[in-house]
Amino acid sequence: MSLTKNENEIIRNAGSGNQESLNQLFEMARPRVTQYIYRLTLDHHITQDVVQDTLIDMAKCLGKLEDQDKFWPWLRRIAYNKLKNQQRKEFRQKDIVTRLYSGTNSEQAKGLSNLISEELSEVVMSSMRQLKSDHRRVLVLRCYEEMTYPEIADIMERTEFGTRMLFVRAKNALKKKLAKNGMSKAALLTALIAFGKITAGSQAATAQLTSASLNAGFTASLTANITTFAAGAKLTAAVITVMALSSFMSDLGSGSHNNHDSIGQVSAHMLSLMADPQNYTEFWYSYPDGPAGPLLSRFTARDADTGHTIGQWFNTRDGNYFYDRPADYVYLLNHNYYNNDFDIMRLPADNYKMVSAINETYGAGSGLDNSIRYEGAGLFYVKGLDSQGRSYSQAGRLRNIPKEEYFNLTWAKSASLVDLRDDIHKQGWAGVTVSGLLNGKTVNGSGCIPLYLDTAQSHSPWLFLDIAGNFYYSGKSDFLTGFSRPWYGLHTIDSIRRDFAYSKYDAGSIKVADQSVDVTFLIGDNRIVYTVSLDADLVESIRLFDSNGSETGYLVFDYRLESEKDPGNSASAQELKSLLDIFVKVTE
């Protein structure tokens, strides 16, 4: 959480020895530290001791704080270390007492009785007490301290992926505890909001904590979480009202802007940032339908010195995003990620035949040295380097990867949203018309191309070609290769290059011009040149040349907001699985 101008001034003056500012800092820090520690211990006596020791150390060490923007994480670390010391001391003295509530603590709930029912308080507090300390800690840091996953990873001395995994496990553990205490598992969000209110020191803090809970990354709808207890206890109307208002206010937090740098400038910055050798990068891949299906990905570039996130690329079910952390902008983009040096994309789930084909066609590359050998839906793979240059990787399987916390979009709430998409990409799918000539034969066609995985469900891909009275059709199942398939998660330049390599055709040159690229392939003595829009992530045209260099055919693709009606695979149309089949027939 960034500091306000007033907080910055108080910390700066207090660090310089100004007693009045130090007193103000005590008043500013005490309630925050108290809430943080109490949520970890659920013990008032321990909390008071830890807070007192923390504030004393804060006063002693404040002058050594180099970056005052990191004041709150720095103070949390001091508080947590004090807590660990306190717990070790109690353990040595064998004086650990487990203090469980029986009913609601009237002193703690004072002033909040109009918001939280006594039954809810009992169930929530009992469930939170039963959690492991690390589970409760990650929930507190994420839901109430509003820290990002990289920040939590730093303070808990874990990898970001490990932190996200811990958060998911903590939520699942809390669901189980709630169920054992008579509360529906679906009421997780309700329980977290209630815990925030119960442990808040004031009504003002309550409103803030509600907003923080709702921004913890949960994807379930709010109404699904407003449930009744199995034993019959209900939320009060006031709690439901506060939850609904907090959700509404949370939706107003980020604005969308369109007046920004050109698409080309942003893309160049983005690609160079992600490939900067001064950074170390994590690569996250998920396959909701298995290795042969669509790919979702997330790439994170970190500063090699600080470990802080510099930029992130998100390829999700509903769009492509780039988060420029230093500028605090999130860009919505048309295209999937591609390597800035146009090295072909190699994926962790590539089978042996694909790996061999890519290496034979394009040469052996760095690739991914930990290839996945799992099959089935819900596959994920994470690979990266830490700040010391040590590699790590993890593969596994989850039922619902796209909705899990560690594959969700994560950026600062202060980030501004900049929509750089064209109208077609905002729509999520494109109608396409085809025109051209192949060896003197007129070609006409039409089709529909979904641009994201979610829109592929409502606007299935299809392409219908009429080549001099011969009809060809490709539909949803096994949609044709050698053409744009952006909803599969790879940029078109990589999709078609991988298609040609898999079919054992040789690669030619790559020529870049502004926002398009010409990719050449060889079929015998013939050349095929694809012109691909880097920004739109679609094939613009395909040209065919014979061994003498004479043009023997071309296809031009026009993309629109509307599409014609899907004719279906009529009896008169031949099934078309690959455009390469058409080109081979033409060149024979």
Side-chain angles (χ1 to χ4, degrees):
M1 180 181 293
S2 57
L3 297 173
T4 65
K5 183 178 180 180
N6 184 52
E7 289 174 335
N8 262 307
E9 185 176 353
I10 291 174
I11 294 170
R12 183 174 62 253
N13 292 338
S16 301
N18 184 290
Q19 187 60 46
E20 182 180 351
S21 295
L22 186 59
N23 291 336
Q24 289 178 305
L25 186 57
F26 277 135
E27 295 304 313
M28 184 173 77
R30 185 183 296 276
R32 287 281 295 272
V33 176
T34 299
Q35 284 186 168
Y36 173 53
I37 295 299
Y38 179 70
R39 285 174 175 146
L40 297 179
T41 64
L42 299 181
D43 186 296
H44 289 291
H45 300 290
I46 293 177
T47 298
Q48 290 172 8
D49 291 341
V50 171
V51 170
Q52 191 66 25
D53 290 345
T54 299
L55 295 179
I56 291 172
D57 260 26
M58 178 193 75
K60 289 180 180 178
C61 304
L62 188 59
K64 300 178 182 178
L65 179 62
E66 295 179 357
D67 185 356
Q68 67 183 46
D69 284 337
K70 297 179 181 178
F71 172 76
W72 291 119
W74 172 76
L75 190 59
R76 287 190 201 99
R77 191 181 294 277
I78 291 176
Y80 186 68
N81 287 336
K82 291 295 179 185
L83 174 60
K84 288 196 295 185
N85 290 338
Q86 177 79 8
Q87 290 172 334
R88 281 194 291 265
K89 179 181 177 181
E90 288 196 359
F91 181 78
R92 286 194 301 268
Q93 295 174 347
K94 299 184 183 299
D95 191 28
I96 298 176
V97 179
T98 302
R99 299 172 175 89
L100 294 176
Y101 275 4
S102 56
T104 301
N105 185 306
S106 58
E107 181 181 357
Q108 175 203 8
K110 185 178 181 181
L112 299 176
S113 58
N114 61 323
L115 294 178
I116 308 294
S117 69
E118 184 174 339
E119 296 90 343
L120 177 60
S121 299
E122 291 177 358
V123 170
V124 169
M125 294 300 287
S126 177
S127 299
M128 291 296 286
R129 277 195 179 83
Q130 295 169 36
L131 291 180
K132 295 179 181 178
S133 59
D134 274 359
H135 286 172
R136 189 160 64 237
R137 189 181 181 201
V138 74
L139 288 173
V140 168
L141 292 173
R142 178 67 176 153
C143 298
Y144 310 108
E145 297 297 316
E146 302 184 64
M147 296 179 69
T148 65
Y149 287 114
E151 290 171 339
I152 299 171
D154 180 56
I155 201 171
M156 295 191 71
E157 298 180 343
R158 293 172 174 263
T159 65
E160 183 188 343
F161 182 77
T163 301
R164 290 172 177 267
M165 289 284 287
L166 182 66
F167 184 59
V168 172
R169 293 190 184 110
K171 289 196 304 177
N172 291 336
L174 181 55
K175 287 179 184 178
K176 293 178 181 178
K177 301 301 181 186
L178 292 170
K180 287 183 179 179
N181 286 291
M183 193 171 179
S184 168
K185 288 185 178 181
L188 173 65
L189 184 54
T190 299
L192 285 171
I193 292 174
F195 182 71
K197 295 178 188 301
I198 295 168
T199 56
S202 66
Q203 293 281 5
T206 298
Q208 176 190 357
L209 293 168
T210 301
S211 176
S213 296
L214 290 168
N215 280 284
F218 297 100
T219 55
S221 67
L222 184 61
T223 53
N225 291 292
I226 301 176
T227 59
T228 58
F229 298 116
K234 297 182 179 180
L235 283 173
T236 65
V239 172
I240 296 174
T241 302
V242 170
M243 290 168 64
L245 286 174
S246 299
S247 178
F248 173 73
M249 293 300 292
S250 140
D251 291 339
L252 300 179
S254 59
S256 179
H257 308 277
N258 289 299
N259 52 338
H260 209 265
D261 299 333
S262 71
I263 295 175
Q265 289 173 315
V266 172
S267 296
H269 168 64
M270 168 179 53
L271 293 170
S272 62
L273 184 65
M274 298 302 288
D276 189 337
Q278 299 303 314
N279 305 325
Y280 66 96
T281 307
E282 288 178 330
F283 300 88
W284 300 34
Y285 305 88
S286 68
Y287 299 83
D289 302 326
L295 167 72
L296 305 178
S297 57
R298 197 192 96 177
F299 306 147
T300 302
R302 302 191 188 285
D303 184 276
D305 295 325
T306 66
H308 295 162
T309 298
I310 302 173
Q312 288 180 303
W313 177 283
F314 299 90
N315 163 34
T316 71
R317 298 185 71 100
D318 62 357
N320 302 298
Y321 304 79
F322 178 71
Y323 176 33
D324 187 340
R325 179 65 183 88
D328 209 19
Y329 276 98
V330 177
Y331 300 100
L332 279 77
L333 300 161
N334 292 333
H335 61 88
N336 287 296
Y337 178 82
Y338 58 89
N339 289 319
N340 70 320
D341 59 358
F342 295 104
D343 185 26
I344 190 169
M345 290 291 286
R346 304 164 191 264
L347 303 176
D350 286 341
N351 58 34
Y352 176 78
K353 184 177 179 180
M354 177 59 81
V355 172
S356 300
I358 290 175
N359 290 343
E360 184 177 337
T361 305
Y362 301 101
S366 56
L368 294 157
D369 52 17
N370 296 74
S371 296
I372 298 176
R373 292 294 175 259
Y374 297 121
E375 296 293 335
L379 197 60
F380 75 85
Y381 179 78
V382 177
K383 179 178 175 62
L385 296 175
D386 62 20
S387 57
Q388 281 74 47
R390 297 170 299 198
S391 63
Y392 58 86
S393 62
Q394 182 165 350
R397 186 178 301 161
L398 294 169
R399 292 183 178 180
N400 206 2
I401 284 178
K403 293 184 179 180
E404 294 291 354
E405 294 304 325
Y406 34 84
F407 278 99
N408 280 354
L409 309 178
T410 53
W411 47 68
K413 290 191 293 184
S414 60
S416 299
L417 198 62
V418 181
D419 195 340
L420 297 177
R421 297 173 299 172
D422 56 34
D423 289 339
I424 288 176
H425 284 79
K426 289 178 181 178
Q427 177 176 263
W429 57 274
V432 57
T433 58
V434 188
S435 60
L437 287 171
L438 293 177
N439 273 351
K441 298 178 180 179
T442 302
V443 180
N444 290 293
S446 60
C448 178
I449 303 296
L451 303 174
Y452 314 119
L453 186 55
D454 274 353
T455 50
Q457 309 304 315
S458 56
H459 291 80
S460 298
W462 62 272
L463 188 68
F464 185 85
L465 294 178
D466 176 356
I467 305 178
N470 294 313
F471 304 116
Y472 301 88
Y473 178 82
S474 182
K476 181 177 181 180
S477 61
D478 201 17
F479 187 71
L480 81 168
T481 57
F483 194 52
S484 298
R485 299 189 301 278
W487 72 96
Y488 260 68
L490 284 178
H491 196 285
T492 297
I493 59 170
D494 287 307
S495 294
I496 59 176
R497 287 188 294 173
R498 289 164 60 89
D499 291 346
F500 272 86
Y502 200 76
S503 299
K504 301 295 184 181
Y505 294 118
D506 294 331
S509 62
I510 292 182
K511 182 179 179 181
V512 183
D514 193 21
Q515 280 299 299
S516 66
V517 59
D518 287 348
V519 187
T520 301
F521 303 98
L522 306 176
I523 297 183
D525 295 329
N526 300 281
R527 277 189 303 126
I528 300 177
V529 180
Y530 277 70
T531 298
V532 178
S533 169
L534 291 176
D535 177 59
D537 201 352
L538 296 166
V539 174
E540 295 180 338
S541 66
I542 303 173
R543 293 169 291 157
L544 281 69
F545 301 87
D546 63 18
S547 57
N548 298 318
S550 300
E551 186 172 297
T552 58
Y554 68 89
L555 296 174
V556 177
F557 303 90
D558 180 40
Y559 300 92
R560 305 176 300 177
L561 288 170
E562 305 85 16
S563 68
E564 298 182 15
K565 183 179 179 181
D566 185 353
N569 191 6
S570 61
S572 60
Q574 301 178 49
E575 183 179 8
L576 181 61
K577 290 189 175 181
S578 173
L579 279 179
L580 278 61
D581 297 338
I582 298 292
F583 301 150
V584 170
K585 289 181 181 180
V586 170
T587 56
E588 286 177 346

